[in-house]
Amino acid sequence: MSIVEEKLKELEEYLKVIEHYNQASALVYWDMTTGMPEKALDDRAETMSFLGLQAHNLSVAPKMDELIKFFESHVEELDDVHKRMTSELRKAYDKNKVYPEEFIKEISLACSKGEAAWEKAKNANDFEIFRPHLQKIVDLTKKSITFKPAKKNIYDSLLDDYEPGLTVEKLDKVFGDLRNGIVEILNKIKAAGVEVDNSFFKKTFSKESQQKFSIEVLNKMGFDFKAGRLDESEHPYTTNMGNKDVRITSHYYENEFTFALYSAIHEGGHAIYEQDIPDSLRGTGLNQASSMAVHESQSRFYENIVGRSKAFCKYLYKSAKEQFPQFADVDEEGFYKAINKVEPSLIRTEADELTYSLHVIIRYEIEKLLINDKITVDELPRVWNEKYKEYLGIEPPTDTEGVLQDVHWAGGSFGYFPSYALGNLYGAQMLNKMLKDVPNIYDEIAEGNLDSVHKWLRTNVHECASLYDPSDLIKRITGEELNAKYFLEYLDKKFKDIYNY
Amino acid sequence: MSIVEEKLKELEEYLKVIEHYNQASALVYWDMTTGMPEKALDDRAETMSFLGLQAHNLSVAPKMDELIKFFESHVEELDDVHKRMTSELRKAYDKNKVYPEEFIKEISLACSKGEAAWEKAKNANDFEIFRPHLQKIVDLTKKSITFKPAKKNIYDSLLDDYEPGLTVEKLDKVFGDLRNGIVEILNKIKAAGVEVDNSFFKKTFSKESQQKFSIEVLNKMGFDFKAGRLDESEHPYTTNMGNKDVRITSHYYENEFTFALYSAIHEGGHAIYEQDIPDSLRGTGLNQASSMAVHESQSRFYENIVGRSKAFCKYLYKSAKEQFPQFADVDEEGFYKAINKVEPSLIRTEADELTYSLHVIIRYEIEKLLINDKITVDELPRVWNEKYKEYLGIEPPTDTEGVLQDVHWAGGSFGYFPSYALGNLYGAQMLNKMLKDVPNIYDEIAEGNLDSVHKWLRTNVHECASLYDPSDLIKRITGEELNAKYFLEYLDKKFKDIYNY
């Protein structure tokens, strides 16, 4: 064994220990949200935070630095994968290492208190309960930026945490195009005056029957139940312990047919990405998704581009009609339109495909203002409501349905929201290329056959794991940079057909 | 804060870290047996072993010794609980510390290979597959004894691991009495020639209906579902993460009514013990059960002394009859007798209340012979079959139903089996005292009201946690030492009534 091989082995063992902690912590969290006895909460939260801290400490330990330095000084002996591994490890190490330990404790305490206060505030519809906590979190977030290398816009530092290389300059352009395009389509829909009926989705559907249908669809998607599970939690999410144990959760409402179904498809998209991460990248730290936005591109590709397509709705309709007498009077066209009904609404997670991105853009704009001291925490409810009025034409009657709806800020996740909309844009860019590679793909989709979709995504996206920065990945796949063009074209074509404008 | 208080705080923090590891590891095991996706097995086994090793390393670290030494040198400043804490920590530290690290790795590897080989051998009914592994495990077990202080009988060292203070000398006497007494009752039953019909328990009972009934009974027992769960696994067991998260598993056979029910009651007995461990003992290491035998006394008390009593069967019959049309033609007397049908059988875990202890005594006698080099591993199948012939009058047609039935030896757990029978004896001794304290307790039990049972056990056993050695605990409760007298009297009275001998 050469010295490089020995060190690679040593690194692999070191990263494995970090994974043991992270995976144990992920399991604790999954358990906590899917059925842990309630009296265990305090103790288990401590255990989870302990495990997370061990992982963090190992990731910033001198030993880690020493290993990275070794590879940096032997870079000419490394293949491309290990070169990428070295630079990615360095980036992550420097990013994690930059914060004083005291600061990490302070911000993590502020966020855990913040999340509790947020929940209380949301339930009580009282922003004031959350305000002082949010103020603290915003202050600490701004302080966190001071530890990092200066950027053109201070918000760039936050964007870069979730989408490496992304800047306000780029995003303002892209989100500007996106916002204008969506508002234009929305106006055309309003003008068309077509009414879409989706009342049949509000009939009663048992939890068991919904779950069975979700499992059927997940199987069609290629979700591997031998390397994953589907459970129920308050809010749907995906977590994974490596690529051999990827867990989806959903939530069933007996008076709403589409929520659980599209949650399962969305989370299934995340999950399949994780299941497809190649074993060969173990021990390099590259065995993870490229970025949060690329992750969202996969979940939203399955949820919307595939899942809400006319073709897939053909299959869904056929299968649902066999299982649910509730749809006896519904025809295929009505089913498809109902699934795609556009209706400006207050809650992001319940938004339709068209208006969803506007919810995200509003949050992006507000975060940018807040972090750049253009507005204060006190002004948030007012600014929030104004933006909803401006972009969506509706105003939240309560803060619970407004500024208090998302947990992200309470958790200190500033800079994360844009990922959701970027996922839409990446997805449409990928679709454009996919249709060139597999022109008849919608014919297969209409049969409920998603194998070609999965194969294309696996090869082009999933198996690339963290081998490329997201901006390089999208260029590699499509030959183009991030842009809103394809998504807007896709939306326009789709909704023109549905709303006859 | 005095220096002693400071050190107590320090110890508490140290023990908490060990608990984080142990609880995470327990959760991983629980998940593994209740629904982990199968492809995750190898990775998760590694994570579990990693977590266990961290806990072990901390328990034998110099820091632990240093803390114990501090309390040993300040013993006059400690209250009784902290005195007990100090001596118990010292005992555990010395016991764990005695093995060289290499030895621990060797025996744990041998056992993990042994368990895999045992499973294969059992499925293939081929002792030869398991034999070389068992040989290795027996050799290492004997070697483990050499690291420990010498005892009168070398098997004493193994007994002491599970039941502090127990010796072959004491156990030979007690088990001798027990064996003779049981065989005598068994002969009387055979001579009486009474046939008990339990065929109605072999009708079809859906898993859901059985589970519902188990939950009803667990609620009657006082199992706290806010600090625990009931799930399904291949073999029923109980695990706990502290006293606020105690998890029972059961297994449902659609053609057997009593297995799941009495598994739930048995595991429920273990679980209630753990839930009742007082919070006040946190941070002392005393917040655990007194011994394995005391643990079994609780599970078997609920399963047999309460659960198979005429009184409780009255309640069970009434409730079961309402839920299960399968019992339409069964009367209360027939139901009670069927639950208590005596029938010498091959499999320990399926044995009736009377013959169960004989299965345990056979294993005890065999272990004693094996560890003292009176028989060899090769001779095990023959010796096993001879003992079954002698004590139970039946001979296993295959090793799968004989020497290969239990996992314990593959896991290196020599000295554990006696706990099961000791649990019966402790239980009957406790019953004798309980009936003096609460003479009308069976009237309550007949109503399905187990509150007084629970209260008595909580006060006398559960809340004592590890404050006393098991031999002291039983003396404290009953004024007597371990003996077979009360259990035999109890059995004789019960089966005389059922079999009219």
Side-chain angles (χ1 to χ4, degrees):
Chain A
M1 224 195 249
S2 75
I3 172 106
V4 168
E5 283 167 338
E6 266 174 42
K7 283 284 174 187
L8 283 171
K9 190 79 205 143
E10 201 180 322
L11 175 71
E12 187 175 345
E13 291 303 317
Y14 193 86
L15 293 178
K16 200 184 262 178
V17 173
I18 297 181
E19 278 191 358
H20 287 318
Y21 285 116
N22 282 331
Q23 295 185 9
S25 169
L27 182 66
V28 168
Y29 181 78
W30 171 83
D31 183 67
M32 214 176 231
T33 56
T34 54
M36 181 187 71
E38 60 183 78
K39 288 186 183 172
L41 182 62
D42 289 348
D43 288 346
R44 204 57 44 75
E46 266 191 62
T47 298
M48 194 168 83
S49 125
F50 169 80
L51 294 167
L53 189 63
Q54 304 314 302
H56 172 81
N57 287 345
L58 286 169
S59 76
V60 297
K63 176 75 195 166
M64 189 75 206
D65 193 29
E66 192 188 305
L67 281 164
I68 303 169
K69 277 189 179 133
F70 171 86
F71 295 113
E72 285 171 336
S73 63
H74 290 74
V75 77
E76 65 296 337
E77 295 161 56
L78 300 176
D79 61 20
D80 284 353
V81 168
H82 291 116
K83 275 180 190 150
R84 169 79 180 168
M85 169 196 91
T86 305
S87 62
E88 284 297 285
L89 288 174
R90 168 58 63 206
K91 234 194 289 174
Y93 180 85
D94 290 348
K95 199 174 257 178
N96 289 325
K97 187 68 186 171
V98 88
Y99 305 111
E101 203 180 316
E102 268 318 298
F103 179 77
I104 290 180
K105 283 189 190 157
E106 197 182 357
I107 199 163
S108 108
L109 185 69
C111 290
S112 78
K113 285 188 184 171
E115 287 192 30
W118 165 76
E119 202 163 331
K120 230 168 144 183
K122 188 179 171 183
N123 290 333
N125 183 33
D126 183 356
F127 181 73
E128 189 51 30
I129 297 175
F130 183 40
R131 195 197 45 76
H133 294 275
L134 182 57
Q135 185 66 59
K136 175 96 186 161
I137 293 165
V138 169
D139 291 345
L140 288 168
T141 300
K142 284 194 236 165
K143 190 171 169 190
S144 79
I145 298 171
T146 65
F147 296 119
K148 300 193 272 192
K151 303 250 178 186
K152 196 166 168 190
N153 187 307
I154 66 164
Y155 186 71
D156 287 349
S157 286
L158 301 176
L159 284 177
D160 190 71
D161 280 348
Y162 300 101
E163 194 67 3
L166 190 66
T167 62
V168 165
E169 198 173 353
K170 282 193 216 175
L171 205 50
D172 276 351
K173 165 81 182 77
V174 171
F175 275 5
D177 293 347
L178 183 60
R179 188 190 52 220
N180 296 337
I182 292 174
V183 169
E184 203 178 301
I185 296 172
L186 192 55
N187 288 335
K188 287 189 216 165
I189 289 175
K190 281 181 191 160
V194 174
E195 272 304 315
V196 169
D197 174 30
N198 64 356
S199 59
F200 44 84
F201 287 143
K202 317 275 185 233
K203 291 182 178 175
T204 304
F205 304 86
S206 76
K207 183 185 141 177
E208 290 68 29
S209 65
Q210 290 195 51
Q211 196 176 43
K212 185 167 163 269
F213 198 51
S214 290
I215 290 171
E216 172 186 324
V217 172
L218 284 166
N219 274 314
K220 290 279 174 196
M221 290 169 70
F223 177 76
D224 180 357
F225 277 95
K226 288 187 176 168
R229 291 176 55 109
L230 169 66
D231 294 272
E232 192 177 357
S233 66
E234 187 58 31
H235 305 287
Y237 72 92
T238 301
T239 188
N240 68 301
M241 289 145 265
N243 58 357
K244 311 239 181 295
D245 191 350
V246 185
R247 305 191 180 193
I248 299 172
T249 71
S250 188
H251 193 91
Y252 304 93
Y253 297 98
E254 299 226 316
N255 295 312
E256 219 295 302
F257 181 75
T258 58
F259 184 85
L261 174 63
Y262 281 93
S263 292
I265 301 178
H266 178 97
E267 302 306 333
H270 284 303
I272 289 167
Y273 190 176
E274 294 292 346
Q275 289 184 334
D276 284 343
I277 299 287
D279 283 347
S280 58
L281 292 175
R282 283 181 164 216
T284 64
L286 298 174
N287 53 338
Q288 49 183 309
S290 176
S291 75
M292 292 320 301
V294 178
H295 233 311
E296 282 297 321
S297 79
Q298 299 308 289
S299 55
R300 303 189 73 76
F301 195 96
Y302 274 107
E303 178 190 350
N304 294 321
I305 293 179
V306 172
R308 290 192 164 90
S309 68
K310 201 165 192 169
F312 197 66
C313 284
K314 189 185 172 78
Y315 149 74
L316 280 181
Y317 172 74
K318 189 162 169 262
S319 184
K321 188 126 177 170
E322 282 166 15
Q323 296 171 54
F324 299 95
Q326 294 92 327
F327 299 137
D329 300 333
V330 183
D331 65 11
E332 191 182 310
E333 178 84 5
F335 189 87
Y336 167 62
K337 285 188 174 178
I339 278 178
N340 286 286
K341 179 168 183 161
V342 171
E343 197 161 35
S345 62
L346 297 169
I347 308 295
R348 176 183 58 84
T349 56
E350 296 165 9
D352 58 73
E353 187 179 359
L354 180 70
T355 58
Y356 183 90
S357 302
L358 294 178
H359 292 260
V360 173
I361 291 170
I362 288 172
R363 286 154 179 77
Y364 163 68
E365 292 182 358
I366 291 177
E367 286 190 358
K368 210 172 49 171
L369 293 169
L370 193 61
I371 299 297
N372 281 290
D373 289 326
K374 300 284 169 58
I375 58 169
T376 65
V377 168
D378 304 54
E379 293 173 294
L380 276 177
R382 181 181 55 76
V383 177
W384 182 284
N385 293 357
E386 285 168 5
K387 294 224 176 246
Y388 265 78
K389 183 85 192 151
E390 185 188 346
Y391 295 169
L392 286 151
I394 49 177
E395 220 170 334
T398 67
D399 285 337
T400 299
E401 294 155 280
V403 71
L404 289 172
Q405 70 183 263
D406 296 306
V407 69
H408 302 60
W409 293 342
S413 301
F414 290 92
Y416 183 99
F417 277 120
S419 310
Y420 293 119
L422 292 177
N424 288 335
L425 307 188
Y426 285 151
Q429 291 182 256
M430 289 175 196
L431 172 67
N432 185 58
K433 181 61 169 44
M434 187 188 275
L435 286 171
K436 284 179 187 155
D437 293 343
V438 196
N440 67 337
I441 206 156
Y442 277 121
D443 297 342
E444 295 177 21
I445 293 173
E447 304 287 321
N449 176 357
L450 303 184
D451 294 350
S452 295
V453 172
H454 188 186
K455 192 178 161 202
W456 192 94
L457 292 172
R458 187 197 292 129
T459 313
N460 287 282
V461 184
H462 305 175
E463 291 185 343
C464 295
S466 275
L467 286 171
Y468 312 101
D469 278 349
S471 53
D472 294 336
L473 182 68
I474 196 67
K475 223 168 158 177
R476 223 181 109 87
I477 301 172
T478 68
E480 294 186 65
E481 300 212 348
L482 171 72
N483 65 68
K485 179 172 166 263
Y486 297 100
F487 185 55
L488 287 169
E489 283 176 9
Y490 156 86
L491 290 175
D492 189 41
K493 191 175 161 207
K494 176 171 185 171
F495 291 105
K496 183 180 282 167
D497 174 50
I498 294 172
Y499 282 93
N500 293 314
Y501 55 70
Chain B
M1 225 194 253
S2 75
I3 170 106
V4 168
E5 283 168 335
E6 266 173 42
K7 284 285 173 185
L8 283 171
K9 190 81 202 139
E10 203 179 323
L11 175 72
E12 187 175 346
E13 291 303 317
Y14 194 84
L15 293 178
K16 199 183 262 178
V17 173
I18 297 180
E19 278 191 358
H20 287 319
Y21 285 116
N22 282 332
Q23 295 186 9
S25 171
L27 182 66
V28 168
Y29 181 78
W30 171 84
D31 182 66
M32 217 176 230
T33 57
T34 54
M36 179 187 72
E38 58 182 79
K39 289 186 183 174
L41 182 61
D42 289 347
D43 287 347
R44 203 58 44 73
E46 266 191 63
T47 298
M48 195 169 84
S49 127
F50 170 80
L51 295 166
L53 188 64
Q54 304 314 303
H56 173 80
N57 288 344
L58 287 168
S59 75
V60 297
K63 176 76 196 167
M64 188 76 207
D65 193 29
E66 191 188 306
L67 282 163
I68 302 169
K69 277 189 177 132
F70 172 86
F71 295 114
E72 286 170 336
S73 64
H74 290 75
V75 76
E76 66 293 339
E77 294 162 56
L78 301 177
D79 61 21
D80 284 351
V81 168
H82 290 116
K83 277 181 189 147
R84 169 80 180 166
M85 169 196 90
T86 305
S87 62
E88 284 296 284
L89 288 174
R90 169 55 64 204
K91 234 194 289 175
Y93 180 84
D94 290 348
K95 199 173 259 180
N96 288 326
K97 188 68 186 172
V98 87
Y99 306 111
E101 204 181 315
E102 270 316 299
F103 180 77
I104 290 180
K105 281 188 190 157
E106 199 182 356
I107 199 163
S108 106
L109 185 67
C111 290
S112 79
K113 284 186 185 174
E115 288 192 31
W118 164 77
E119 201 163 334
K120 233 169 143 181
K122 188 178 171 184
N123 289 332
N125 183 35
D126 184 356
F127 182 71
E128 189 50 31
I129 297 174
F130 183 39
R131 195 197 46 76
H133 293 276
L134 182 56
Q135 184 67 60
K136 176 97 187 162
I137 293 165
V138 169
D139 291 345
L140 288 168
T141 301
K142 284 194 238 166
K143 191 171 169 187
S144 78
I145 298 171
T146 64
F147 295 119
K148 301 194 269 191
K151 302 252 179 183
K152 197 166 168 191
N153 186 309
I154 66 166
Y155 186 72
D156 287 350
S157 287
L158 301 175
L159 285 176
D160 190 71
D161 279 349
Y162 300 102
E163 194 66 5
L166 189 65
T167 61
V168 165
E169 199 173 351
K170 283 192 213 172
L171 205 50
D172 276 351
K173 165 84 184 75
V174 172
F175 275 5
D177 293 348
L178 183 59
R179 187 190 53 220
N180 296 338
I182 292 174
V183 169
E184 204 177 300
I185 296 172
L186 192 55
N187 287 336
K188 286 190 215 164
I189 289 175
K190 280 182 193 161
V194 174
E195 272 304 313
V196 169
D197 173 29
N198 64 357
S199 60
F200 44 83
F201 287 143
K202 317 276 186 232
K203 292 182 178 176
T204 303
F205 304 86
S206 75
K207 184 185 139 175
E208 290 66 32
S209 65
Q210 290 195 50
Q211 195 177 45
K212 186 170 163 266
F213 198 51
S214 291
I215 290 170
E216 173 186 322
V217 173
L218 283 166
N219 275 316
K220 290 279 174 196
M221 291 170 69
F223 177 76
D224 181 358
F225 278 94
K226 287 186 177 167
R229 292 176 54 109
L230 169 65
D231 294 272
E232 193 178 358
S233 66
E234 187 58 31
H235 305 287
Y237 72 92
T238 301
T239 188
N240 68 301
M241 288 147 266
N243 59 357
K244 311 237 181 299
D245 191 350
V246 185
R247 303 190 182 195
I248 299 173
T249 71
S250 189
H251 193 91
Y252 305 92
Y253 296 99
E254 299 226 317
N255 296 311
E256 219 297 300
F257 181 76
T258 58
F259 184 85
L261 174 63
Y262 281 94
S263 292
I265 301 177
H266 178 96
E267 301 306 333
H270 283 304
I272 289 167
Y273 191 176
E274 293 292 345
Q275 289 184 334
D276 284 343
I277 299 287
D279 283 348
S280 59
L281 292 176
R282 285 182 162 216
T284 65
L286 298 173
N287 53 338
Q288 48 184 309
S290 177
S291 75
M292 293 319 301
V294 178
H295 232 309
E296 282 298 321
S297 80
Q298 299 309 288
S299 54
R300 303 188 73 77
F301 195 96
Y302 274 107
E303 178 191 350
N304 295 321
I305 293 179
V306 172
R308 290 191 163 91
S309 69
K310 201 164 192 168
F312 197 65
C313 284
K314 190 183 169 80
Y315 149 73
L316 280 182
Y317 172 75
K318 188 162 171 260
S319 184
K321 189 128 177 167
E322 282 167 14
Q323 296 170 55
F324 298 96
Q326 294 91 325
F327 299 138
D329 300 334
V330 184
D331 65 11
E332 190 181 311
E333 179 83 4
F335 189 86
Y336 168 61
K337 287 189 173 178
I339 277 177
N340 285 288
K341 179 170 183 157
V342 171
E343 196 161 34
S345 63
L346 296 170
I347 308 296
R348 174 182 60 85
T349 56
E350 295 165 10
D352 57 72
E353 186 178 3
L354 180 69
T355 58
Y356 183 89
S357 301
L358 294 179
H359 292 261
V360 172
I361 292 171
I362 289 172
R363 286 154 179 76
Y364 163 67
E365 293 183 358
I366 291 176
E367 286 189 358
K368 211 174 47 172
L369 293 169
L370 193 62
I371 298 298
N372 280 291
D373 289 326
K374 300 284 168 59
I375 58 169
T376 63
V377 168
D378 303 53
E379 293 172 294
L380 277 177
R382 181 180 55 75
V383 177
W384 182 284
N385 291 356
E386 284 169 8
K387 295 222 175 246
Y388 265 78
K389 182 84 192 154
E390 185 187 346
Y391 296 169
L392 286 152
I394 49 175
E395 219 172 334
T398 66
D399 286 338
T400 299
E401 293 156 279
V403 70
L404 288 173
Q405 70 182 263
D406 296 307
V407 69
H408 301 60
W409 293 342
S413 302
F414 290 92
Y416 184 99
F417 277 120
S419 310
Y420 292 120
L422 292 177
N424 288 335
L425 307 188
Y426 284 150
Q429 292 183 255
M430 288 174 195
L431 173 66
N432 184 58
K433 181 63 170 41
M434 187 189 275
L435 286 171
K436 285 179 187 154
D437 294 344
V438 197
N440 67 337
I441 205 155
Y442 277 121
D443 298 342
E444 295 178 20
I445 293 172
E447 303 287 320
N449 176 357
L450 302 184
D451 293 350
S452 295
V453 173
H454 187 185
K455 192 178 162 202
W456 192 95
L457 293 172
R458 187 198 293 130
T459 313
N460 287 281
V461 184
H462 305 175
E463 290 184 344
C464 295
S466 276
L467 287 171
Y468 312 101
D469 277 349
S471 54
D472 294 336
L473 182 68
I474 196 69
K475 222 166 157 178
R476 221 181 112 87
I477 300 173
T478 68
E480 292 186 66
E481 301 213 350
L482 171 71
N483 65 67
K485 180 172 166 261
Y486 297 100
F487 186 52
L488 287 169
E489 284 176 9
Y490 156 84
L491 289 175
D492 189 41
K493 190 173 162 208
K494 174 168 185 172
F495 290 106
K496 184 179 284 169
D497 175 50
I498 294 173
Y499 282 94
N500 293 315
Y501 54 71

